[in-house]
Amino acid sequence: MVTGAGRGARTPAPAVPGLRVAIDGPGSSGKSSVGMAVASALGLRFVDTGLLYRALTWLAVRREVALDDGPAVAALAPDVELAPDPAGRLSRVRVDGHDVTRSVRAAAVDRGVSEVARQPAVRTALVAVQRRLAADAGIVMVGRDIGTVVLPDADLKVYLDASAAERARRRAVERGLDPDGSETAAIRADLERRDAVDSGRAIAPLRPADDAVVLVTDGMSFEEVVGRVVHLAEEKHAAGGSAVLDGRTTA
Ligand code: DC
């Protein structure tokens, strides 16, 4: 897996250099948009690790690899590339030189990605990629197991949650649907199904790290959530939370 970390990035000088922020939570809890806004406020790099699982799923479907054949799907990892968008965030997915960022959000990927994400060989391959991305500079990394597995020594761990009803409502509004309509009920059912697979899998299940700050965002505006996370990061920074800042080495 080649990644474009740092290449072509136009990220401003970080306000909190070296800080590593892990944001986990269930689907449609707002992790990605919150993480992106936090990274931009703090001048840190941003990676949404769900993109990696989605990209592998998309590629496996395209190459007709069985989604439950973990080693075969994991073997596709080197063909997927995360690339920077104009703001320097690794929010683009490229395969064989083509930008497939839109395709990885397709319904077929939504349906298959939990199956791919529960394969041990896939997780091993992608955890290594994610750790490399976080190795040498500050970052906001978003996913399901960032605080528990990928970056257990992250400076700040946030677990963003919201009720299934609220998450389905937000997703429906994003898609221009009636939040009280039958499509929203279907979205909610699909979210609950994926939550159950993600939380119930044997390896790296979705759960808050013991030292995560859990934010339940029902009734909070987007700006409030971003403000809370930025504030928490600044507190960590002020307390010398970053290993890079204070020269401590971490395990
Ligand atoms: O956040 P998302 O909906 O794009 O994630 C897609 C899938 O990938 C979801 O089923 C959970 C899985 N995933 C994971 O298991 N671990 C991560 N760090 C990120 C995503």
Side-chain angles (χ1 to χ4, degrees), residues 23-112:
I23 303 182
D24 292 300
S28 292
S29 56
K31 303 179 299 288
S32 250
S33 37
V34 167
M36 232 185 244
V38 168
S40 141
L42 299 174
L44 295 172
R45 294 175 308 141
F46 172 77
V47 176
D48 175 358
T49 61
L51 275 183
L52 295 169
Y53 290 90
R54 286 177 175 276
L56 271 194
T57 306
W58 180 83
L59 195 54
V61 170
R62 188 178 171 93
R63 299 213 179 141
E64 299 183 357
V65 172
L67 301 187
D68 61 355
D69 185 345
V73 178
L76 302 175
D79 294 351
V80 170
E81 179 183 9
L82 285 190
D85 63 21
R89 299 173 297 222
L90 292 176
S91 66
R92 302 242 172 257
V93 185
R94 294 174 71 81
V95 174
D96 296 335
H98 298 287
D99 190 318
V100 298
T101 312
R102 269 171 181 265
S103 312
V104 303
R105 302 261 170 222
V109 173
D110 274 348
R111 280 193 297 274

Side-chain angles (χ1 to χ4, degrees), residues 9 22 39 42 47 63 68 70 102 124 136 142 145 147 149 157 161-162 186 188 226 241 244 246:
L42 299 174
V47 176
R63 299 213 179 141
D68 61 355
R102 269 171 181 265
T124 302
D136 32 61
V142 168
D145 60 340
V149 175
K157 300 178 186 177
D161 209 350
R188 175 175 173 168
V226 172
V244 172
D246 65 14

Side-chain angles (χ1 to χ4, degrees), residues 24-28 31-32 48-54 57 104-105 109-110 112-118 123 130 142-146 150 171 194-195 197-198 201 203-204 206:
D24 292 300
S28 292
K31 303 179 299 288
S32 250
D48 175 358
T49 61
L51 275 183
L52 295 169
Y53 290 90
R54 286 177 175 276
T57 306
V104 303
R105 302 261 170 222
V109 173
D110 274 348
V113 66
S114 291
E115 178 62 33
V116 165
R118 61 191 279 274
R123 301 207 72 85
Q130 293 163 77
V142 168
R144 300 292 192 291
D145 60 340
I146 309 304
V150 179
R171 184 161 279 199
R194 287 207 286 142
D195 287 353
V197 178
D198 292 340
R201 69 183 172 221
I203 298 180
L206 170 66

Side-chain angles (χ1 to χ4, degrees), residues 143-225:
R144 300 292 192 291
D145 60 340
I146 309 304
T148 51
V149 175
V150 179
L151 302 177
D153 58 350
D155 301 298
L156 172 64
K157 300 178 186 177
V158 176
Y159 187 88
L160 279 191
D161 209 350
S163 64
E166 173 66 12
R167 289 184 285 128
R169 195 191 62 77
R170 287 181 195 163
R171 184 161 279 199
V173 169
E174 255 167 44
R175 292 182 181 173
L177 300 171
D178 171 8
D180 298 316
S182 62
E183 284 158 312
T184 307
I187 291 173
R188 175 175 173 168
D190 187 56
L191 280 175
E192 288 178 324
R193 179 190 64 78
R194 287 207 286 142
D195 287 353
V197 178
D198 292 340
S199 313
R201 69 183 172 221
I203 298 180
L206 170 66
R207 67 167 182 82
D210 293 339
D211 51 349
V213 177
V214 178
L215 278 184
V216 180
T217 64
D218 289 64
M220 287 175 81
S221 71
F222 176 74
E223 290 74 20
E224 280 173 318
V225 180

